[in-house]
Amino acid sequence: MNTKILLTSFDTWQPHQKSNSSDDLLARISQIKSLPYSLTFLRKLPVDFQEAPNLAIAKINQLQPDLIVCCGMAERSQTLTLESCACSDQNILKTAVNLEYLITDLPTTQISHNAGNFVCEALYYAVLKHLGDSQISTKCVFVHVPILTVKNTDKIIADFSLILTRLTTDN
């Protein structure tokens, strides 16, 4: 079976941003040929608390992916960061994915327990809630992406590619 993966990224939201690193990463991933899974991209989601989740959930309902990897930019980070949970008010939803397994031996990836209280967290929470409420067994993770530089891009792409591969295998 060819695993269907939905990948999302955000557009910029500040005047100084030439691009969003989450979208830069997905642009690079889209250029990799002969992957053992099917990738669908929902790129440059608007940085809007309602519109971004609505667009993502509509795409999930249309595509019915096996996996969802939402990506957002973390300007101050130096590593990829997998988010363990998302919060809305006092409610906390956790990913069902074994993040420890995903990051084993990955030099530029870590786990975070705080998705950032911004649109990234709103998207992650809405997607996790939708999956739970709809009783959909699709796995979902959120990855914060640092600014890509000459020094880190190859390492970030390598880690992210391995995360995708690990997500497609049972752990």
Side-chain angles (χ1 to χ4, degrees):
M1 177 180 103
N2 196 5
T3 304
K4 293 187 293 187
I5 303 175
L6 174 62
L7 298 162
T8 73
S9 66
F10 281 101
D11 203 349
T12 59
W13 71 95
Q14 294 288 336
H16 72 274
Q17 297 166 338
K18 292 184 169 94
S19 64
N20 186 305
S21 59
S22 68
D23 192 62
D24 297 340
L25 177 61
L26 294 194
R28 297 291 296 269
I29 294 297
S30 72
Q31 296 170 357
I32 299 173
K33 303 297 181 215
S34 67
L35 294 171
Y37 30 79
S38 172
L39 300 179
T40 299
F41 296 90
L42 183 57
R43 292 181 50 197
K44 296 189 177 184
L45 285 170
V47 181
D48 182 281
F49 284 87
Q50 290 182 330
E51 194 174 355
N54 288 344
L55 289 168
I57 289 168
K59 191 64 158 181
I60 291 164
N61 290 339
Q62 174 202 355
L63 181 65
Q64 298 182 8
D66 301 300
L67 299 164
I68 302 164
V69 181
C70 300
C71 301
M73 179 164 65
E75 283 187 291
R76 293 181 199 98
S77 181
Q78 301 299 312
T79 62
L80 279 177
T81 307
L82 293 171
E83 301 298 341
S84 67
C85 60
C87 303
S88 178
D89 299 318
Q90 299 299 317
N91 299 316
I92 299 171
L93 297 177
K94 295 185 178 203
T95 182
V97 175
N98 180 346
L99 299 182
E100 294 291 339
Y101 166 75
L102 289 185
I103 70 163
T104 301
D105 299 327
L106 296 184
T108 60
T109 305
Q110 61 186 11
I111 296 171
S112 164
H113 306 290
N114 181 344
N117 300 317
F118 194 51
V119 179
C120 292
E121 185 160 47
L123 173 65
Y124 195 24
Y125 185 88
V127 170
L128 290 173
K129 185 170 183 351
H130 174 71
L131 295 174
D133 289 351
S134 304
Q135 298 182 335
I136 299 171
S137 62
T138 299
K139 293 180 182 176
C140 177
V141 296
F142 194 100
V143 180
H144 270 114
V145 181
I147 301 296
L148 300 180
T149 66
V150 173
K151 289 184 177 184
N152 74 3
T153 297
D154 289 343
K155 293 174 188 172
I156 296 292
I157 291 170
D159 276 15
F160 191 80
S161 297
L162 193 50
I163 287 168
L164 291 179
T165 300
R166 288 177 178 173
L167 280 167
T168 63
T169 59
D170 291 324
N171 54 58

